[in-house]
């Protein structure tokens, strides 16, 4: 129970790996807010956790919108009294898909939307949560990047957005360290996160195995230990770091 007494928000918690982070935090004793632009999915995940005896609240957020991110924090504090952990997991990635076109065929609208959610959304949620964390004497922010940042692979707008998250994490860690707020990032490898993957998606995820030191498929469960570590006081002196969790595909 490494998160006993803590309150955690997981953005993008309605689907995929986000739902698994929410469950892992709850299992470690945290009260969890599952926030997603897909309100129905967020509520379903929270209700499932509540039925299993955990304390969980599902709500809608559009992370790109500061007013919406602020309401998410307000409702968290109303429901559970504080907020110790913000997991910035929401992104345009799989549930809301993006094109695999080369760099010069991506539409400007799609480029802007990816940046609005994957980059600006992280900033909006951080600035919405920071005052509450400052008031209570600290907190842990975990941003989700991607191991594609350290490889020459992936969709260029997505990879650019996840590279921005690494730089953002470092500067924010320096800015908020004086308030005892830690800011770290996780860079997952290609993870079979889809609820109902097509054979093509499974083949794509399996293709990553050849480039890894650990020769197997990566699943959401492979990320949970690192997420709990960064959320908990076990990492109390770790900040500004990006932990690559990809079975040794990237070593840096
Ligand atoms: N699965 C992988 O291979 C992989 C690899 C590296 C990094 N990641 C990252 O891990 C995270 C989770 O990935 P996933 O595979 O579960 O993807 P996913 O697309 O299933 O999950 C993203 C979630 O964010 C939500 N979301 C999208 N826009 C939003 C918005 N504006 N406001 C609030 N919520 C919004 C979606 O509804 C969805 O629930 C993402 O940040 C992704 O970029 C995934």
């Amino acid at each position: 129970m490494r998160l006993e007494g803590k309150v955690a928000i997981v953005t993008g918690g309605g689907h995929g790996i986000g739902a698994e982070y929410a469950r892992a935090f709850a299992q470690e004793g945290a009260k969890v807010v599952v926030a997603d632009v897909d309100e129905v999915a967020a509520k379903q995940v929270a209700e499932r956790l509540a039925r299993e005896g955990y304390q969980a609240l599902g709500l809608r957020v559009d992370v790109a919108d500061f007013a919406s991110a602020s309401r998410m924090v307000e409702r968290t504090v109303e429901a559970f009294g504080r907020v110790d952990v913000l997991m910035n997991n929401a992104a345009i990635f799989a549930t809301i898909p993006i094109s695999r076109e080369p760099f010069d065929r991506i539409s400007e609208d799609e480029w802007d939307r990816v940046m609005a959610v994957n980059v600006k959304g992280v900033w909006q949620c951080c600035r919405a949560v920071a005052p509450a964390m400052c008031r209570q004497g600290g907190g842990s922010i975990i941003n989700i990047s991607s191991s594609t940042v350290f490889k020459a692979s992936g969709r260029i707008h997505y990879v650019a957005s996840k590279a921005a998250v690494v730089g953002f994490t470092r500067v924010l860690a320096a800015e908020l360290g004086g308030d005892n707020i830690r800011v770290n990032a996780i860079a997952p490898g290609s993870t079979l996160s889809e609820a109902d993957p097509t054979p093509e998606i499974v083949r794509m995820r399996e293709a990553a195995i050849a480039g890894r030191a650990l020769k197997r498929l990566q699943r959401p469960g492979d990320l949970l230990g690192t997420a709990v570590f960064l959320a908990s006081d076990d990492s109390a002196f770790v900040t500004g770091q990006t932990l690559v969790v990809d079975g040794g595909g990237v070593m840096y």
Side-chain angles (χ1 to χ4, degrees), residues 21 24 29 34 40 50 60 63 72 91 94 129 134 145 148 164 173 175 188 195 202 213 217 225 243 247:
Y21 291 135
V34 181
V40 173
R60 183 187 184 277
V63 295
M72 169 182 78
V129 85
C134 280
S145 178
T148 55
E175 289 199 19
V202 174
L217 199 62
L243 299 186

Side-chain angles (χ1 to χ4, degrees), residues 50-102:
R51 277 197 301 277
E52 293 170 29
Y54 301 114
Q55 291 202 61
L57 171 72
L59 48 87
R60 183 187 184 277
V61 68
D62 178 357
V63 295
D65 174 13
F66 181 63
S68 180
S70 297
R71 270 197 305 280
M72 169 182 78
V73 174
E74 278 163 27
R75 291 196 56 193
T76 302
V77 175
E78 273 164 29
F80 297 135
R82 52 189 294 119
V83 52
D84 302 281
V85 178
L86 168 66
M87 160 71 84
N88 279 313
N89 165 79
I92 306 273
F93 176 65
T95 300
I96 301 177
I98 44 176
S99 71
R100 296 191 172 273
E101 294 291 325

Side-chain angles (χ1 to χ4, degrees), residues 11-13 35-38 60-66 68-69 87-98 108-126 143-145 157-158 160-162 164-165 168:
T11 71
D36 204 292
V37 73
D38 183 344
R60 183 187 184 277
V61 68
D62 178 357
V63 295
D65 174 13
F66 181 63
S68 180
M87 160 71 84
N88 279 313
N89 165 79
I92 306 273
F93 176 65
T95 300
I96 301 177
I98 44 176
E108 210 168 316
D109 279 355
E110 189 175 278
W111 180 279
D112 288 345
R113 189 65 194 147
V114 167
M115 295 302 160
V117 175
N118 297 12
V119 185
K120 193 168 84 171
V122 175
W123 174 60
Q124 300 288 38
C125 291
C126 288
N143 299 324
I144 301 299
S145 178
H157 47 348
Y158 173 78
S161 75
K162 293 296 182 176
V165 169
F168 177 93

